[in-house]
Amino acid sequence: MIRNIYIYLVLFATLMMTIGGSVGVFMAIADLASPVPYHQTFEQFQQLRLEKRAPDSVGNDQKATLSEDELKKQYDAMVAAERERQMSQAKNSLIKSFGWIVIPLPVFIYYQRQLTGRKNR
């Protein structure tokens, strides 16, 4: 009796882990297929850069202002870096989620066979 309860608890726990891993895999694949777009517009980026380069309290310019082309290049580089970071994070999440499937699945199959073998006796 206690052995059957133990087997059912192990089956339940490993099944929940496998289902959770499957959901994680689906979410990681969705992030790979359709990453979240970068939320800051070029105008916001440009305004933020202009505010950072405002004169200090003495009236000296901290740095020479950049041209719009240079700002656009910096913005594009930042957007590309953010997209690459998101893709890398999604791949990492995908690998971790596969672990939540691959590790408990053999345990589930083993205990399921133990249960069906005991019922056939």
Side-chain angles (χ1 to χ4, degrees):
M1 169 81 173
I2 292 178
R3 182 170 171 86
N4 281 344
I5 292 173
Y6 172 75
I7 290 174
Y8 280 118
L9 284 175
V10 170
L11 285 172
F12 177 75
T14 54
L15 182 63
M16 290 297 109
M17 292 168 77
T18 304
I19 290 171
S22 300
V23 170
V25 165
F26 178 79
M27 290 172 51
I29 290 172
D31 286 343
L32 282 171
S34 177
V36 178
Y38 191 68
H39 66 278
Q40 187 180 35
T41 64
F42 175 68
E43 289 76 24
Q44 292 170 334
F45 176 79
Q46 189 177 22
Q47 185 65 31
L48 186 65
R49 291 295 181 178
L50 291 175
E51 288 173 5
K52 283 185 177 179
R53 299 194 189 291
D56 59 13
S57 59
V58 181
N60 299 328
D61 277 343
Q62 292 175 352
K63 292 184 180 177
T65 54
L66 298 172
S67 70
E68 190 167 330
D69 290 337
E70 291 170 331
L71 281 174
K72 183 69 174 163
K73 286 179 186 177
Q74 285 182 357
Y75 175 77
D76 290 340
M78 188 174 62
V79 169
E82 177 65 19
R83 183 175 176 89
E84 182 63 32
R85 186 191 65 76
Q86 285 181 0
M87 296 298 265
S88 176
Q89 189 174 4
K91 289 175 188 175
N92 188 345
S93 177
L94 182 65
I95 292 168
K96 289 177 183 178
S97 295
F98 272 128
W100 280 98
I101 296 171
V102 171
I103 294 170
L105 189 61
V107 176
F108 178 83
I109 292 170
Y110 173 78
Y111 278 98
Q112 186 180 22
R113 289 184 180 170
Q114 291 284 331
L115 186 64
T116 57
R118 291 177 64 75
K119 284 185 179 180
N120 290 338
R121 289 186 212 170

